[in-house]
Amino acid sequence: MSTAQLALVKRDTVDVVAEKVRQFQERGEIHFPANYSPENAMKSAWLLLQTVQDKNYKPALETCTKDSIANSLLDMVVQGLNPAKKQGYFIVYGTKLTFQRSYFGTMAVTKNVTGASDIDAQIIYQDDEFEFEIVRSRKKITKHKSAFKNIDDSMIIGAYCTIYWEDGNEYTEIMTMSEIRQSWKKSKQGPDKENSTHNEFPGEMAKRTVINRACKAYMNTSDDSSLIMKHFKAQDEMIAEAEVEAEIAEHANGEIIDITPEAAADKKATEAPTAEKSKTTETKRQLTGSKAQAGNDPNNFANDVPPLEQEMQF
């Protein structure tokens, strides 16, 4: 894009979002952490967006709608996140740009909203001495003793994450390796993919999965009325919708269909569905079915493991 074109996109997205955020702050609808600057976050995002491409390697700023660009920026800022800190990344689905939190981002929002002092995850290996109890319907780790010889990726049997508060309160989620792998299958970068990050770094990925699970489970018990919680909880649904729309558009054959009852009856009597149309219909059925299934998941656990290769730096 030319400098002039970039300036126009920036005016219609970044500048619009900046004004919207200013209004939120003036009305007291949003309060950022003391160390968070929405201006700096949007500057970082704008620089990053100029490098983001769709799956055809076309610039996102050219292929995505201005509304979706502005909405993704707003989603990022309202949650108090900054992509420069690897707290999230921008992903293109068709003509829509979305902002997706990383597990760093999920922890940051959780700490900001709940006042948690720390969030820690640990791997459970075979032959570890591990015990927990249920206290008032909440899990509490009572013993976890490991040995150096147990630390082997092939011996991982589970993981847990605990959120801590200064007053001594804590919240724990525990997942078996079977549950973790089942969650991985929901990801496009899941264990069945070639050179999967999940298979290369199962311990690190298991921690990320259980951290996301714990934070989402606890956050979903929080008050929905705040602006930040509305954006936090809406993210999975927005991404799922963008995925569905993009894949339906990709498989559509572009044929204009007369959907009046008479035309439908004539068409059914005189023409068998083409293979491509059948494929499109089946794709739409599967995708909308998946979306419905995700909608029946009250804790939004279906997308526990987002694309993470952008942040995998060890």
Side-chain angles (χ1 to χ4, degrees):
M1 299 180 73
S2 68
T3 302
Q5 289 174 317
L6 281 174
L8 288 174
V9 174
K10 182 177 181 295
R11 182 198 67 186
D12 294 338
T13 57
V14 177
D15 295 349
V16 169
V17 171
E19 175 59 22
K20 190 74 173 177
V21 170
R22 186 188 64 79
Q23 293 173 7
F24 286 150
Q25 289 179 291
E26 287 182 350
R27 294 196 297 263
E29 296 180 36
I30 188 169
H31 301 281
F32 295 115
N35 61 348
Y36 182 77
S37 167
E39 294 81 9
N40 290 342
M42 280 192 284
K43 287 178 182 178
S44 297
W46 178 246
L47 290 174
L48 177 62
L49 280 176
Q50 294 176 57
T51 68
V52 175
Q53 298 176 328
D54 64 13
K55 67 177 183 178
N56 297 316
Y57 305 104
K58 293 182 179 179
L61 294 178
E62 290 184 7
T63 60
C64 295
T65 65
K66 291 180 181 178
D67 282 348
S68 70
I69 295 171
N71 285 333
S72 65
L73 287 169
L74 184 63
D75 194 32
M76 175 200 76
V77 174
V78 167
Q79 295 182 79
L81 301 177
N82 190 333
K85 297 180 179 180
K86 298 190 182 298
Q87 293 175 336
Y89 29 79
F90 295 96
I91 301 176
V92 180
Y93 295 105
T95 61
K96 284 191 174 181
L97 184 71
T98 64
F99 178 78
Q100 188 162 338
R101 286 186 312 271
S102 67
Y103 87 111
F104 294 117
T106 297
M107 286 194 294
V109 178
T110 302
K111 287 182 177 181
N112 181 30
V113 170
T114 69
S117 58
D118 197 14
I119 300 173
D120 184 59
Q122 294 294 331
I123 299 298
I124 308 169
Y125 296 95
Q126 187 176 331
D127 298 330
D128 281 3
E129 296 180 39
F130 179 76
E131 296 177 3
F132 71 95
E133 62 182 4
I134 308 294
V135 180
R136 298 179 64 181
S137 300
R138 287 192 176 182
K139 303 179 184 71
K140 182 177 179 64
I141 309 300
T142 56
K143 182 179 182 180
H144 185 194
K145 186 176 181 180
S146 189
F148 184 74
K149 63 181 178 64
N150 294 356
I151 303 176
D152 186 324
D153 285 346
S154 65
M155 298 175 67
I156 298 174
I157 61 172
Y160 63 91
C161 173
T162 302
I163 306 173
Y164 299 94
W165 286 266
E166 294 289 355
D167 61 3
N169 188 28
E170 58 185 60
Y171 177 86
T172 298
E173 281 288 334
I174 305 171
M175 297 179 72
T176 66
M177 197 59 193
S178 176
E179 290 177 310
I180 291 170
R181 290 193 177 279
Q182 190 64 34
S183 181
W184 289 352
K185 289 181 180 179
K186 307 292 184 181
S187 170
K188 290 188 176 182
Q189 282 72 36
D192 298 332
K193 306 299 182 182
E194 186 178 356
N195 299 322
S196 168
T197 305
H198 300 78
N199 292 329
E200 291 184 28
F201 307 100
E204 186 69 18
M205 297 302 291
K207 284 185 179 181
R208 294 170 187 233
T209 300
V210 76
I211 285 172
N212 273 304
R213 173 69 61 95
C215 291
K216 286 184 178 181
Y218 190 82
M219 290 285 278
N220 282 343
T221 66
S222 301
D223 184 8
D224 286 346
S225 63
S226 70
L227 189 61
I228 186 173
M229 283 306 302
K230 289 178 180 178
H231 280 260
F232 182 91
K233 292 187 175 184
Q235 176 177 280
D236 291 336
E237 182 179 349
M238 289 189 295
I239 291 173
E241 289 178 355
E243 285 180 326
V244 169
E245 290 178 11
E247 294 206 30
I248 290 176
E250 180 180 349
H251 290 85
N253 60 11
E255 178 183 356
I256 299 175
I257 301 175
D258 188 340
I259 57 172
T260 61
E262 296 80 2
D266 293 342
K267 193 173 186 66
K268 182 176 180 181
T270 59
E271 177 181 314
T274 64
E276 183 62 28
K277 284 176 61 183
S278 298
K279 179 179 178 182
T280 300
T281 302
E282 176 64 15
T283 299
K284 184 171 183 178
R285 184 189 65 78
Q286 291 175 351
L287 290 170
T288 53
S290 299
K291 180 180 175 185
Q293 184 177 5
N296 292 329
D297 178 6
N299 290 317
N300 288 327
F301 289 153
N303 226 5
D304 271 340
V305 186
L308 293 169
E309 70 275 9
Q310 294 97 324
E311 61 183 78
M312 293 298 293
Q313 294 183 1
F314 299 102

